[in-house]
Each structure stands twice: as structure tokens, then as C-alpha cells.
Amino acid sequence: MTLAIQFDDVRAAAARLEGQAHRTPVLRSRAIDALTGAQVFMKAENFQRMGAFKFRGAYNALSQFSAAQRQRGVIAFSSGNHAQAIALSARLLGMPSIIVMPQDAPAIKVQATRGYQDGQPGSEVLLYDRYTQDREAIGRQLAQERGMTLIPPYDHPHVMAGQGTAALELIEQTAADGPLDALLVCVGGGGLISGCAVAARHLLPAIQVWGVEPEAGNDTQRSLAEGRIVHIDTPRTIADGAQTQHSGELTFPVIQALVAGVVTASDDQLVQTMRLLAERAKIVVEPTGVLGLAALLHRAQGLPDLRGRRVGVILSGGNVDMQRFAALMAA
Amino acid sequence: MTLAIQFDDVRAAAARLEGQAHRTPVLRSRAIDALTGAQVFMKAENFQRMGAFKFRGAYNALSQFSAAQRQRGVIAFSSGNHAQAIALSARLLGMPSIIVMPQDAPAIKVQATRGYQDGQPGSEVLLYDRYTQDREAIGRQLAQERGMTLIPPYDHPHVMAGQGTAALELIEQTAADGPLDALLVCVGGGGLISGCAVAARHLLPAIQVWGVEPEAGNDTQRSLAEGRIVHIDTPRTIADGAQTQHSGELTFPVIQALVAGVVTASDDQLVQTMRLLAERAKIVVEPTGVLGLAALLHRAQGLPDLRGRRVGVILSGGNVDMQRFAALMAA
């Protein structure tokens, strides 16, 4: 079976992102190396434009629109990082964006998304009532009426290839002293891990790519065990970027083919890891963003012993409301 | 009058720090550029070893000890970043350190300092009762009994020269696109700003170096106005690194000669700036560390209009207890 993307797609995405996405730094911490017994290389996507890796996939997708598509613009359903990534990428490429969010989305997220649209003509945040309105119907109607293109948050080859550039860069940035032995990546719908696995396994065939899900939402772990895409209820976890109900039709086969396994981290472990990063590395990372590092620090069940190994982790984003961050740090 | 340090001292310090101190990154933020109307270049000393610029001065001083001095070791009085900087530098150079702290210093600071001493023979944290004991007497006694060398937190040429390497690096790191027009530096006892002013004015004679003090502790501002070192009571401010009562005999003449002026920032402005950096730049900076940026963002009285200018700021450190950080972010 042919996978939805190949390494050349990731390489081409990297070329499109050149000069647009930040080549984020790879951070080291003596404290984290000591705690894990590994050499840990942290790809700081919390420093990415709009604060998360999602910019990579969104920009890669939108930059491949035809002239006609650009004129009509893009639609996305999201109240999270995908929304902001699409809004910013659309503005940079000079096209309208409509971001569809539930009416009860936090005001700060609506405001941030409008900020990224920043006067781009034809752009707006469209609020719907999630109890009485069907967002799929809204999407279909808008797409028909206005001829706009819908970009989903993960199950799209251009999105997957764009996200893979995070691993491509990490491997390039750490190559001087030898290959990485393992890469830990957070898993929601699988866009990031599928792209990263394609890049990593091509460049370093022996690398083990591990996914990490919130304990409360281990649908991908279960899907791998059952050999089919398992659907779950929206999980209750602070890792809001991983509150997905199932992996994608395109992402799951890549995960099956290239990922060593999926392990989990608890919310409590996420908070401890966020605090460690704030105290020792002086950085703000959102709950979803620390999934990989939390699994390593807490030796998640199923993960091999990585002491003495060179381990990459993707810190996927830093978008967390400060009131919420403060509450978690104080807990 | 000859100043305590010259540019060659800073250059020599940079050579000593090579491979020991981190060459910390210079951060940019579109949000901060937009808010200030300037191009702002932030030297991220919160990412420095032990979390603050103080490592530079401490290591520079200790690495110049004679063989006899190294054998006997170093004493410092501090419950803040200077303590940790001396403890770490001493261990790296294989010498004993005694750090004298008040008995009521936060346990976390005592623990952190002991952590940096990490088994170095002859090293300890010595607690004294600040209500009944005289720390100067303790110091004299230790120095006499054990032949140890006291390194003060700012009023020492080697400390000043070491701190100046932060500005030296910042200017090198930003030189490609043209010179900086201004540099904003926090002021406690004046170690950082005196070293930075020497480096900056040598490399860029036209640069304006501005100091920033907490509103509640503007002794250096007053000293410049009066032409002599003014002493004040320990100021009540969240900027604990700038709770000094007066600038130094060695630092003040450098400030008089090379600094354009000193302005102030309020505690409320510091909190707002810390929050902005956490939300937008995803970094943790301690209250003292944001003094320079706070003055720029809030157009401190006395500061010239810097819109359209290239402005360097030193984010001097990131050591803030997480409970305290959380409380400030939630406020």
C-alpha cells in the first residue's frame, strides 16, 4: 500500500517554508539529561510562528493552492493552533480565510485568530452554536457558495508533509555528533507524527519513532493494537491539542508502517514536565507540547530503556492561556 | 580619571568564557516590535548557565585566581544569582566555595546553591542570623581563618568585565544588519551595566546605553543627578536582583562616564512585561530581567523616542520560583 506522503514531499515542503517558518532552535538541558540518563534534543516548536508546529503544515498546504483557489480562499474548522496557523498563512499568501469556531470558544482564541487575519479582505472568524448547528453543513455551504477550499487539521498530505519538516530540521541540526536513536512525538490526529516518521525513517532508517498520547485519549495506541482506526469520545485531558477522537485515514497507515509504537502520559505528568521546562529551561510549553518529554521522563510503559541514547523530542507548541498556565504551575 | 575596566578587559573575559558560558541567543518578537515601534533585539541571558548573566562575571573572576587562591577557595555573600554563579564557577574550576546566606533565605535558593556546589570538597552554604550576626564579620573571620578570597557581587573589575561580555556578544550577533542605536540594561549595583557600557561604547561609539532601575529603588538615577553615590534603604520591589542600596565605587564612575541616563519601571510594568514575554515569546524571565524591556514598552520618562530604532535589551535572567511566577502571571 502506498503511503499518503513520501520523503520527497517533506523535502519539498521544507523548500516552500524556507524564509517563512522559523528554523526553531534545538534546546539542551543538563538537568533533563541528568533526569533521563539520555542525551535529549528538544525541538522548540513553541518558538515557531504563531507558537506551534501547525504553521508548517498550514503554510505548506496553502502555498500549493492554484491561482483560482487563492482568490477564493481557505476555510478551517478549529479553535486551536490549526485556526491560527491557517489564518496567518492565508494572510501571508494574500488570500481570505474563514475560521469556523464554536460560539463558546475562549474569547482570547477568537481574538488571536482575528489578529492573525489582520485586515486581510474577506477574512473572518465565524461562530456557530455547537448545540444547534452542524459545522459540517456550515462548511459545505460556505465551500459551495464561495468556492473556498477546506483544509483539515491533519488528514491531508500537504499538512502531513509540512509537519514533517520539524523532524527533518531536528535531524539536520543534531547530525554533527551522530544520529538520533529515538524520536518522541505527541499524537493527536497524527499529522505531526506521520510527517515526522516519514522524514526520520528516511534519513535515519534505524531510528525508533514513538508516539505519545494523553492517557485519557489513547485511541491511536488502541488502533495500532486492533489494526483499525478506533473512535473514542472526546477525551478529558489538559492536552487540548490531542483531544482528537480518532486518527486520520491518511495518517494512520503511515503510523502503522513507520512508528515503533504509541505510549501515554498522564495529565499529572504533563504538568510536572511543564513545570520542569519553565524552571530549568525557562520556556513556556503547552500541555500537548510536552507529551513526548513527559513519556521519557516518566519512563512510560512500553517505551524501551533510552538511557545512554540520543533522543529527539518535539516540543510542539507554546500556546497556553497565561491564567491557565499560572494555575497549572501553582498546582 | 581612569575607569576600573577597559574594553580589553571585556575582550579577555570573553576568551576566558569561551566554551564555559553559553553564547545565548538573541530573540526577536514581531509582537514586541509592533508594540514598541522599534526593532528590538533581546539577549536571552535567562538561558545562560545557572539561569542568569551572573555566571559571566563569577567565572571570569574565579578563573583568574592564583594557584594558592584556588586551593583555598572563594567566599560570597548572596542569596541570589551571584550565589549560584559563584557556586557553579567554583565547582567547574575545582575549588571550594562558601556561600553565606541569611538563615531565612528561601529553602529553594539554599538547595539550588548546594546543587551547584555538588560535592565539591570544602564547599558549603553557611547560614547566619541577620538579626544577631554581622555578615561582614563572618566574612572577615572566614577569610582570615581559611585564607579564602571574597568575590563581591558587582564592585570588582573582573566581575564587571565578565558581565560586559553579554553586550559584546549581543553587538556581534546583531552586527550583520547594522549597528544598534540604543541598549537598555537593568541596574542593581551596576556590574552588568558598567561592563556592557564599556563594551558597547567601544564597539559602537554612537550607541546610547540606558540603565533601568525599579521605580522604588532609583538610587543610581539619583546618584547621577547628585554626582555622588546615593545610599537608600533596601527598596520594596519584585525586582529582587535590583534591591541594592547603592552602586559601587568602581561601577559608578563607569556609569557616569558612559551611560546616557537611568530611567525607571514600576512593579506593575514588570509584571505586564513578564506576561507578554511568556505569552508571545514563550519564555520565563525574572522580574529584574525585564526592567529594560519594560522601560521601552512603557516609554519610561526620560527615555528618548526609540521608534524606528534598533534597540538591544538584556533579559538578564530567568530564576524565579514557579509559585511566585504563577502568582504574578495570574494577577
Side-chain angles (χ1 to χ4, degrees):
Chain A
M1 179 179 165
T2 309
L3 300 177
I5 59 167
Q6 307 296 323
F7 179 69
D8 283 347
D9 299 309
V10 180
R11 185 149 48 194
R16 284 182 206 104
L17 290 172
E18 180 89 41
Q20 298 295 335
H22 294 317
R23 192 173 173 88
T24 54
V26 175
L27 307 179
R28 303 295 315 276
S29 159
R30 284 179 178 78
I32 288 169
D33 282 4
L35 286 167
T36 58
Q39 282 179 273
V40 184
F41 299 87
M42 300 180 284
K43 180 70 171 163
E45 286 293 295
N46 55 326
F47 294 156
Q48 188 49 268
R49 289 187 80 168
M50 52 61 57
F53 74 94
K54 289 277 185 180
F55 178 72
R56 297 175 181 271
Y59 191 89
N60 187 49
L62 270 55
S63 64
Q64 294 179 71
F65 275 21
S66 68
Q69 281 180 303
R70 283 195 193 211
Q71 205 188 340
R72 303 300 183 104
V74 61
I75 310 180
F77 300 110
S78 168
S79 55
N81 288 331
H82 180 60
Q84 299 181 41
I86 292 287
L88 173 59
S89 300
R91 192 190 82 214
L92 292 173
L93 292 161
M95 70 175 82
S97 65
I98 293 185
I99 311 296
V100 185
M101 286 189 191
Q103 227 158 28
D104 54 357
I108 194 167
K109 297 220 165 185
V110 176
Q111 193 190 331
T113 305
R114 285 192 175 129
Y116 285 117
Q117 291 176 325
D118 191 24
Q120 179 66 37
S123 294
E124 58 180 307
V125 173
L126 200 76
L127 300 174
Y128 73 98
D129 181 341
R130 59 170 141 186
Y131 302 103
T132 63
Q133 289 182 288
D134 174 3
R135 77 174 199 179
E136 301 297 326
I138 295 172
R140 272 195 305 275
Q141 197 185 340
L142 276 171
Q144 274 186 1
E145 282 176 12
R146 308 196 196 180
M148 300 179 95
T149 305
L150 178 72
I151 295 294
Y154 53 86
D155 215 24
H156 188 293
H158 299 172
V159 172
M160 294 158 67
Q163 319 305 31
T165 61
L168 173 62
E169 285 179 14
L170 171 59
I171 289 168
E172 288 173 355
Q173 290 166 305
T174 55
D177 300 316
L180 296 179
D181 300 305
L183 177 65
L184 302 180
V185 186
C186 52
V187 178
L192 180 62
I193 197 172
S194 60
C196 286
V198 166
R201 296 292 303 278
H202 176 89
L203 294 167
L204 302 171
I207 197 173
Q208 285 200 349
V209 179
W210 287 87
V212 185
E213 287 184 305
E215 208 170 72
N218 67 336
D219 57 285
T220 308
Q221 191 181 46
R222 290 173 53 194
S223 299
L224 285 175
E226 298 189 24
R228 62 177 186 90
I229 298 173
V230 170
H231 289 238
I232 60 171
D233 289 339
T234 299
R236 289 176 190 273
T237 167
I238 60 168
D240 53 334
Q243 282 184 309
T244 39
Q245 295 177 267
H246 56 87
S247 39
E249 301 288 340
L250 303 181
T251 60
F252 184 62
V254 178
I255 295 169
Q256 274 186 308
L258 301 177
V259 167
V262 171
V263 300
T264 65
S266 70
D267 279 8
D268 189 50
Q269 291 170 344
L270 300 183
V271 173
Q272 287 180 46
T273 306
M274 288 171 71
R275 192 178 296 128
L276 182 72
L277 285 170
E279 280 175 347
R280 302 308 297 248
K282 315 299 178 192
I283 58 173
V284 174
V285 184
E286 62 186 84
T288 310
V290 302
L291 276 162
L293 185 59
L296 181 64
L297 282 162
H298 296 276
R299 302 186 184 183
Q301 195 183 352
L303 205 60
D305 186 351
L306 292 170
R307 283 175 293 181
R309 301 292 181 170
R310 291 165 55 86
V311 181
V313 300
I314 312 272
L315 302 177
S316 64
N319 289 335
V320 51
D321 176 69
M322 259 312 115
Q323 293 297 329
R324 183 162 176 66
F325 185 75
L328 293 173
M329 291 305 94
Chain B
M1 176 180 168
T2 309
L3 300 177
I5 59 166
Q6 307 296 324
F7 179 69
D8 282 347
D9 299 309
V10 180
R11 185 150 46 194
R16 284 182 207 105
L17 290 170
E18 180 88 41
Q20 297 295 337
H22 295 317
R23 192 174 173 88
T24 55
V26 175
L27 307 180
R28 303 294 316 275
S29 158
R30 283 179 179 79
I32 287 169
D33 282 4
L35 287 167
T36 58
Q39 283 178 273
V40 184
F41 300 86
M42 300 180 285
K43 180 69 171 163
E45 286 293 295
N46 56 326
F47 294 155
Q48 187 50 267
R49 288 186 82 169
M50 54 61 57
F53 74 95
K54 289 276 186 182
F55 178 73
R56 298 175 180 271
Y59 191 89
N60 186 49
L62 270 55
S63 64
Q64 294 178 70
F65 275 21
S66 68
Q69 282 180 303
R70 284 195 193 210
Q71 205 187 340
R72 305 298 184 103
V74 60
I75 309 179
F77 299 110
S78 169
S79 56
N81 288 331
H82 180 59
Q84 299 179 39
I86 292 287
L88 174 59
S89 300
R91 191 190 83 215
L92 293 173
L93 291 162
M95 70 174 83
S97 64
I98 293 187
I99 311 296
V100 185
M101 286 190 191
Q103 227 159 29
D104 54 356
I108 194 168
K109 297 219 166 184
V110 177
Q111 193 189 332
T113 305
R114 286 193 173 127
Y116 286 117
Q117 291 175 325
D118 192 25
Q120 178 66 38
S123 294
E124 57 180 307
V125 173
L126 199 76
L127 300 174
Y128 73 98
D129 181 340
R130 60 169 139 187
Y131 302 103
T132 63
Q133 289 182 288
D134 174 3
R135 76 174 200 180
E136 302 297 327
I138 295 172
R140 272 194 307 274
Q141 198 186 339
L142 276 171
Q144 275 186 0
E145 282 176 13
R146 309 197 196 179
M148 301 180 93
T149 305
L150 178 73
I151 294 295
Y154 52 87
D155 215 25
H156 189 294
H158 300 172
V159 172
M160 294 159 67
Q163 318 306 30
T165 60
L168 173 64
E169 285 180 14
L170 170 60
I171 289 168
E172 288 173 355
Q173 289 166 305
T174 56
D177 300 315
L180 296 179
D181 300 304
L183 177 64
L184 302 180
V185 186
C186 52
V187 178
L192 180 62
I193 196 172
S194 60
C196 286
V198 166
R201 296 291 303 278
H202 175 88
L203 294 168
L204 302 171
I207 198 172
Q208 285 201 348
V209 178
W210 287 87
V212 185
E213 287 183 306
E215 207 169 75
N218 66 336
D219 57 285
T220 308
Q221 190 180 48
R222 288 173 53 194
S223 299
L224 285 175
E226 299 188 22
R228 60 175 188 92
I229 298 173
V230 171
H231 289 239
I232 60 171
D233 289 340
T234 300
R236 288 177 191 272
T237 167
I238 59 168
D240 53 334
Q243 282 184 309
T244 39
Q245 295 177 267
H246 57 86
S247 37
E249 301 287 339
L250 302 182
T251 60
F252 184 62
V254 177
I255 294 170
Q256 274 186 308
L258 300 178
V259 166
V262 171
V263 300
T264 65
S266 70
D267 278 9
D268 188 50
Q269 291 170 345
L270 299 184
V271 174
Q272 287 180 46
T273 306
M274 289 171 71
R275 192 178 295 129
L276 182 72
L277 285 170
E279 282 176 346
R280 303 306 298 248
K282 315 299 180 193
I283 58 174
V284 174
V285 184
E286 62 186 84
T288 310
V290 303
L291 275 162
L293 186 59
L296 181 65
L297 282 162
H298 295 277
R299 303 187 184 181
Q301 197 184 350
L303 205 61
D305 186 352
L306 291 170
R307 283 174 293 181
R309 301 292 179 172
R310 290 164 57 85
V311 181
V313 301
I314 312 273
L315 302 177
S316 63
N319 289 335
V320 50
D321 175 70
M322 260 312 116
Q323 293 298 328
R324 183 162 174 68
F325 186 75
L328 293 174
M329 291 305 94

